[in-house]
Amino acid sequence: MNYCEFVATLPDDTDNPNRHYHDAQYGFPIEDDNELFERLVLEINQAGLSWTLMLKKRQAFQTAFKGFDIDTVAAFDEADIERLLADAGIVRNRLKINAAIYNARQIKQIQQEYGSFKNWLDANHPLDKAEWVKLFKKHFKFVGGEIVGEFLMSAGYLPGAHVETCPVYREILAYRPKWAEAV
């Protein structure tokens, strides 16, 4: 069952956060660097866990990571790492926390060269998934094929977020996702 089919089986009155995420965020282009960073951090933290759990913990992540402000997270120190490791509202995995901080610092360097993280993504588009993974591994930590693929698909850089029969698919096309430019 694909994600679109899964969400379609949810009852209309569900409190499952997948419905809103699928209908309003997944696959839609993201313009803001902090939102892109948030999505990357959530995808990294989802590794080995469920996306539903990430969506349920999203608000706690936003609080713990100070709204995913790249400059703020890049300045996190050992006291912040200890604070995050003690925060039961998020995934308390030292490797994932360290990767978020390292990746924020890498994004800051990318911003200095390209003006923004989004500009860097755009400058490297189009690439196939394997090329994207290679590029991400060169710059970031805790980024394998699944994480990079889901991050890029969720942000509109790779196709596949929605099946063509999904009502959201056509809505996303109106936003001109990057993957549609490569077609």
Side-chain angles (χ1 to χ4, degrees):
M1 175 183 305
N2 63 49
Y3 193 48
C4 300
E5 292 168 340
F6 165 73
V7 169
T9 66
L10 296 173
D12 289 338
D13 63 348
T14 186
D15 65 348
N16 186 315
N18 283 289
R19 166 76 46 85
H20 173 73
Y21 179 72
H22 170 274
D23 292 353
Q25 296 174 350
Y26 188 54
F28 288 82
I30 300 173
E31 302 293 323
D32 181 77
D33 278 7
N34 292 333
E35 288 180 42
L36 286 164
F37 176 57
E38 174 186 12
R39 191 70 57 86
L40 181 60
V41 171
L42 291 177
E43 291 293 349
I44 287 169
N45 277 276
Q46 187 271 328
L49 303 168
S50 77
W51 187 246
T52 301
L53 179 65
M54 291 303 97
L55 292 175
K56 287 182 177 181
K57 289 182 172 280
R58 190 175 192 179
Q59 184 60 54
F61 269 100
Q62 290 170 341
T63 300
F65 283 90
K66 310 297 183 195
F68 290 100
D69 180 77
I70 294 163
D71 292 332
T72 302
V73 175
F76 278 5
D77 59 16
E78 193 58 41
D80 290 299
I81 293 170
E82 292 306 317
R83 174 183 56 80
L84 293 168
L85 287 169
D87 188 338
I90 66 168
V91 175
R92 296 178 289 178
N93 178 304
R94 185 177 292 275
L95 291 174
K96 292 176 180 182
I97 290 168
N98 288 341
I101 296 166
Y102 177 86
N103 293 344
R105 293 172 182 160
Q106 291 299 103
I107 290 171
K108 281 184 57 99
Q109 289 180 3
I110 286 168
Q111 289 172 326
Q112 288 175 358
E113 185 175 347
Y114 288 87
S116 72
F117 183 32
K118 183 183 182 327
N119 287 347
W120 179 79
L121 291 167
D122 290 350
N124 286 289
H125 176 75
L127 297 174
D128 66 22
K129 182 180 170 183
E131 294 169 315
W132 277 116
V133 171
K134 187 176 178 181
L135 181 64
F136 267 68
K137 284 185 174 217
K138 187 174 159 184
H139 293 279
F140 302 110
K141 287 188 177 180
F142 216 104
V143 288
E146 275 303 304
I147 290 167
V148 172
E150 279 299 320
F151 166 71
L152 292 167
M153 199 172 5
S154 76
Y157 284 89
L158 287 176
H162 298 272
V163 295
E164 289 186 32
T165 56
C166 176
V168 179
Y169 179 85
R170 290 212 189 293
E171 186 178 344
I172 286 175
L173 283 178
Y175 284 91
R176 303 185 64 199
K178 286 290 179 182
W179 60 263
E181 293 175 12
V183 175

